[in-house]
Amino acid sequence: MSFSENTLILKMNGKELDIVKNRWIEGSGLIALASNKSLWESINQEYDEREKEAIECYVASSFYELAVLKTLTVPVRAMTIKVYSLYALHEKEGDVDEWLMEISQRVYKRYINYIQNRSSFDVMAFFDYMFKENPEISSAEQHNLVLLMVILHGSSLLPVFQSKAGSTLIHNVVQNNSVMGAQDEHLKELKDQEKLNALRTLQKTFGVKIPVTHNVDWFFQEHESYLIKNELSSSEKKEILNKGNYDSLYKKGLLRYYKPLTGILREHHMNDFNYTGLSKITRDEFLSIYVMFQQSLEKGRLKEEEWELFLTASVILTMMINHYQELSDFYFDAIKKQEELVLQEQSLTTEQKSWEQEKEEFQKRDRELEKKIAEKDAYIAKLEEQMKSMEKKQEDEISLKNEVTALRNYAYHQRAEHPDTNESINIVEKATSLIESKKAVLFGGHPQLVNKLKEALPSMEYRDVDSLNRDISFISNIDIVFLMTNYFNHPFYYKLMNELEKNPKVKLVYLTGYPNLERTLNEMVELVEA
């Protein structure tokens, strides 16, 4: 059973809080590993080998930017982030309990054995044992180590928090995560309430109005000018001017504390001007210093006459804290950028997978569409083939019908009675009128009859049938084709029939080819109109 599956409910500000589920206990207990320098090499090695995976798991976990991290020194904070990352990684892989026990036994095996060899766990006795084993161990290290033992041994040690010593452990966990690592709202309210009093007191002390922000050196230079002008006698001023002797000045105001305190920096080979001249302090930070002094007065910890010492020490301490914070930000910005790069890569990988999935789905749909299109194309090709076959059949039927019709009309005409040449209807005029209204051509016929027809019907075309290779594609633009099958060869006949099949709208008319012109003209008229 994973430790995070346990429950430990606390009541805070009228609300219930489970400090197991929110990972506060684990977050504090794992610091015992991160702060042990003998583990740093192995932690760094494993982290470097699995950095990308570890960062991904850390960012996705409840340990990410846990408030307690802000309370740690830079090296321990850096190592704690790595321990959190590896812990989250092994938790994801399902072997976190084994991993945690293995790495803990490397440095805390005696403490683990101490607990396992006892039927019950006495917190105070364990504190004594830790101090005996390591007299230099700090209370913070002891608290974190106890929490680590609780994580290792799970629910069997949870009752420890019911004792008085266990309550202190819980208090430290809560303090580090909800107070030390978070903004103090009460202090903010006090600063708003005391703002005017604070600014008046600070202006009176420094001898200058407090700007929104300025470097530390500026405040003490202004204070020095104020002291020279208002606090030094004429002889003391002459000592400074003529002899460069500042002893009398450095015994007054804030300078009597400022000079010795900055001297400590020089003692450690740190040029105080590089810090005071470049480090800024804000009006808000001055307000915090004032409010804290007032609270200490109320609690009897400080006296009014200690204000100048407290103020000077607080300014220098704030200056060094800001410098430390700059170093911390500089270091952790690099880690943050690495985390952001991993997150970006993770996002890109997720996006790439999504695109690949979409691409695969698109390709699948594309393949399915191509298959359907191929099936449709095959079906269309089959239909087109059927249509061509049907059209060919239809054309053949139309051609055959036209030929049969022409032959039927020809046969009928042969049996019919014909008027003699003396009838009132002028057959030549009627034939001429018919041919002029249509485009017609005559194939075949006796040369003498053809010559007579040319004289009677000059607008009609006349073609010989003696050449098989003669081009007859012009038929497509003809309305009527007359055939006189005498003086006609078979190959040309089939060629003509084939061309007529291509042009079913062309009317085919068979003529008997009688030498009598009037009879032929009458036959042409009757068969065309039939």
Side-chain angles (χ1 to χ4, degrees), residues 235-257:
S235 59
E236 289 173 330
K237 292 178 183 179
K238 288 179 182 180
E239 281 286 315
I240 295 174
L241 185 61
N242 297 329
K243 298 180 180 180
N245 185 359
Y246 287 84
D247 288 345
S248 56
L249 175 63
Y250 292 161
K251 293 177 182 177
K252 298 185 182 294
L254 301 176
L255 298 182
R256 53 190 167 151
Y257 308 115

Side-chain angles (χ1 to χ4, degrees), residues 21 24 32 74 90 112 121 125 155-157 179 209 274 289 313 328 370 380 383 397 408 417 469 473 490 510:
K21 291 292 189 292
W24 284 5
V74 170
H90 284 283
I112 294 172
F121 182 63
S155 58
S156 63
L157 292 190
V179 180
K209 286 185 178 180
N274 288 338
I289 292 170
S328 176
E370 287 179 352
I380 291 171
L383 288 178
E397 289 176 352
R408 183 194 64 196
E417 294 183 359
N469 296 323
S473 61
H490 288 287
Y510 287 95

Side-chain angles (χ1 to χ4, degrees), residues 51-84:
E51 181 179 27
K52 181 181 175 182
E53 300 170 274
I55 290 176
E56 288 178 359
C57 293
Y58 167 59
V59 172
S61 72
S62 301
F63 298 113
Y64 185 59
E65 295 187 344
L66 205 61
V68 70
L69 288 168
K70 299 177 183 178
T71 68
L72 306 174
T73 62
V74 170
V76 174
R77 180 181 174 185
M79 293 307 300
T80 301
I81 289 175
K82 292 182 179 181
V83 171
Y84 285 172

Side-chain angles (χ1 to χ4, degrees), residues 179 344 372 379 530:
V179 180
Q344 289 175 7
K372 288 181 179 179
Y379 180 67

Side-chain angles (χ1 to χ4, degrees), residues 6 45 202 283:
N6 292 291
Q45 182 178 350
L202 288 163
R283 180 187 293 169

